[in-house]
Amino acid sequence: MRKKELYDKVITYFQNAMPVAETELHYNNPFELLIAVILSAQCTDKRVNMITPPLYRDFPTPEALAASTPEVIYEYIRSVSYPNNKAKHLVGMAQMLVKDFHSEVPGTLEELIKLPGVGRKTANVIQSVVFNKATMAVDTHVFRVSHRIGLVPKTCTTPLATEKYLMKYIPKEIVPTAHHWLILHGRYVCMARTPKCEECGLNGLCQYSLKPTV
């Protein structure tokens, strides 16, 4: 099967099976989403959603968070992965927003990755979700699912290579949604250790499901 045909079939499946696909992180504005995405690195969205309400309540603005300290923020986020580093990142991020960006979350990759705790993946999430830009954030789910289905070749050994390959074949207007299709599929169907191949609508199309079993 040609690559374009595979993409067309996969996109059609997701459009029918998952017409609404969006982030599962809870937030009310771009600043809160930025906090949540920083916290979600190597941590589940479920855990982040459990701890963010008090954080959002007590630090509703970049100014409020910037005036705090990592030690204080740590107490709010201690149950997430790497809480010490993330506490420092959150305070530093807020201070830079106030100092350099008029307390507004910027909308470009170049500006976003200047913020503490924000790498390319986080920046792409913000650009996609907040600004509806055609950016593909490649996390572990997207990386795994795109390889298993056969959307990207084995030579795409890094998140960046995977991102660039996906962007060649997915129409720009659906990239923000496609990002969530792959994440949610990886989270609930194509899990790392126990993929639900027998329940998957891509069974028979996905390269992983076509592998002979020993």
Side-chain angles (χ1 to χ4, degrees):
M1 184 185 302
R2 298 184 68 137
K3 192 68 74 173
K4 185 180 184 305
E5 183 183 357
L6 175 62
Y7 270 84
D8 288 344
K9 288 179 179 292
V10 170
I11 288 170
T12 298
Y13 166 74
F14 280 126
Q15 285 174 329
N16 292 321
M18 208 185 301
V20 177
E22 54 194 15
T23 182
E24 293 186 312
L25 291 169
H26 297 166
Y27 69 99
N28 298 296
N29 54 58
F31 176 59
E32 290 184 356
L33 179 63
L34 182 53
I35 290 173
V37 179
I38 290 173
L39 289 174
S40 71
Q42 296 180 283
C43 188
T44 65
D45 287 4
K46 183 177 180 180
R47 168 61 55 185
V48 173
N49 289 337
M50 288 172 62
I51 66 152
T52 46
L55 191 63
Y56 295 161
R57 180 195 66 223
D58 294 347
F59 306 95
T61 64
E63 288 83 359
L65 184 54
S68 186
T69 66
E71 291 75 21
V72 170
I73 301 305
Y74 173 87
E75 295 303 323
Y76 287 80
I77 68 170
R78 61 191 308 161
S79 65
V80 303
S81 57
Y82 308 105
N84 282 304
N85 283 340
K86 289 178 180 178
K88 294 175 185 174
H89 289 156
L90 289 179
V91 174
M93 173 272 291
Q95 290 172 343
M96 186 173 286
L97 285 183
V98 173
K99 179 176 177 287
D100 297 338
F101 297 105
H102 307 289
S103 298
E104 297 289 336
V105 175
T108 68
L109 174 67
E110 294 74 22
E111 292 174 319
L112 284 162
I113 60 175
K114 291 178 182 177
L115 298 168
V118 178
R120 185 181 182 92
K121 185 194 78 174
T122 297
N124 280 346
V125 171
I126 298 300
Q127 290 181 95
S128 174
V129 176
V130 175
F131 300 99
N132 201 36
K133 292 185 178 181
T135 56
M136 176 62 69
V138 177
D139 66 356
T140 55
H141 296 303
V142 174
F143 188 85
R144 179 178 69 255
V145 169
S146 58
H147 278 81
R148 280 184 175 173
I149 294 174
L151 295 176
V152 300
K154 292 180 180 178
T155 52
C156 290
T157 57
T158 66
L160 181 58
T162 301
E163 172 192 331
K164 289 183 175 180
Y165 200 93
L166 290 170
M167 291 295 291
K168 285 199 301 185
Y169 287 94
I170 300 175
K172 283 188 175 182
E173 64 272 15
I174 65 169
V175 166
T177 304
H179 159 239
H180 295 299
W181 284 338
L182 295 172
I183 286 177
L184 295 172
H185 190 67
R187 189 171 289 166
Y188 298 112
V189 180
C190 193
M191 287 94 79
R193 295 184 181 179
T194 54
K196 300 177 181 178
C197 294
E198 68 285 351
E199 300 175 22
C200 178
L202 293 173
N203 199 333
L205 183 64
C206 163
Q207 299 304 300
Y208 185 84
S209 70
L210 296 174
K211 284 183 179 179
T213 54
V214 178

